[in-house]
Amino acid sequence: QVQLVESGGGLVQAGGSLRLSCAASGNFYSIDTMRWYRQAPGKERELVADITSGGATNYADSVKGRFTISRDNAKNTMYLQMNSLKPEDTAWYSCNADYYPGRTARSLEVWGQGTRVTVSS
């Protein structure tokens, strides 16, 4: 079993910054792609950014140039540095990862519980 635990959410004024963390723990062989999703009230969940185990990244257009995704494979932790935050960034942010429970096993998917980010105007 693998668990993902997010931290770093909170309340910030527009223009401010927050750094989210997503730490993986448990028994697994390796973690592949990790992702940040968000869901705002009344809206569908959207992919914010993702990062492969090799460090390749992808961003939603709405956050390009403001958010930076990174990971520390030694610590099994992913980060999302969010700068120049806007009220429309207010959402519940969740991390997601593909992982291999064993060397020859198929990959599985795991979700964290999420953390709330509120940006005031």
Side-chain angles (χ1 to χ4, degrees):
Q1 285 283 6
V2 174
Q3 297 82 40
L4 300 180
V5 178
E6 300 94 335
S7 61
L11 173 64
V12 64
Q13 289 188 330
S17 298
L18 282 174
R19 188 194 195 205
L20 305 183
S21 298
C22 171
S25 63
N27 295 315
F28 53 90
Y29 176 72
S30 67
I31 297 177
D32 197 355
T33 300
M34 301 184 77
R35 307 170 186 89
W36 285 104
Y37 283 87
R38 69 183 180 185
Q39 186 165 20
K43 295 188 176 180
E44 292 188 356
R45 184 172 62 198
E46 66 169 335
L47 177 64
V48 176
D50 58 43
I51 184 168
T52 67
S53 57
T57 60
N58 178 59
Y59 296 92
D61 287 343
S62 58
V63 306
K64 282 181 181 177
R66 300 188 299 122
F67 291 10
T68 302
I69 190 172
S70 61
R71 63 191 285 174
D72 184 334
N73 290 332
K75 296 181 179 179
N76 295 315
T77 301
M78 172 179 64
Y79 306 96
L80 186 68
Q81 178 67 43
M82 305 185 294
N83 298 329
S84 302
L85 282 161
K86 305 175 181 180
E88 51 264 43
D89 294 317
T90 296
W92 190 263
Y93 285 71
S94 300
C95 63
N96 162 281
D98 298 331
Y99 74 98
Y100 293 92
R103 187 174 64 85
T104 59
R106 294 171 55 187
S107 67
L108 300 175
E109 185 181 45
V110 61
W111 287 87
Q113 297 278 9
T115 185
R116 183 180 300 278
V117 171
T118 303
V119 184
S120 63
S121 58

